[in-house]
Amino acid sequence: MRLQLVTALGALLGAGGALLAGGPWAVSGLGPFTAGGFIYLGTVSVIPEILRNSGPSQALLQLLALLGGVAMMLLIAHYE
């Protein structure tokens, strides 16, 4: 989990740097790439760990939180 936090922070720093550098490619190219990376990490590595280390109700809450994050990314992409 700590390593995932480090990679997520690296992705945020890289995306922030690209946005500060400017250019239309930064928003249209790097935004979906970064969002896809977060979704991939969540579905491949976090969900199995959640299901293995949590009870059913806690796993359901964490899964709903993950889906809520994906929904927020979709809303931001839609209204941006």
Side-chain angles (χ1 to χ4, degrees):
M1 295 295 279
R2 289 186 199 129
L3 185 57
Q4 289 175 349
L5 177 64
V6 171
T7 59
L9 290 175
L12 286 174
L13 289 173
L19 289 173
L20 289 175
W25 63 272
V27 175
S28 64
L30 290 178
F33 180 75
T34 305
F38 283 120
I39 293 170
Y40 173 78
L41 284 175
T43 56
V44 171
S45 58
V46 174
I47 289 177
E49 187 172 333
I50 287 171
L51 295 175
R52 187 174 40 248
N53 296 331
S54 301
S57 62
Q58 183 67 24
L60 179 64
L61 287 175
Q62 291 175 349
L63 183 61
L64 288 174
L66 177 71
L67 293 174
V70 171
M72 280 190 251
M73 285 190 278
L74 287 171
L75 285 172
I76 290 170
H78 180 68
Y79 289 111
E80 184 176 18

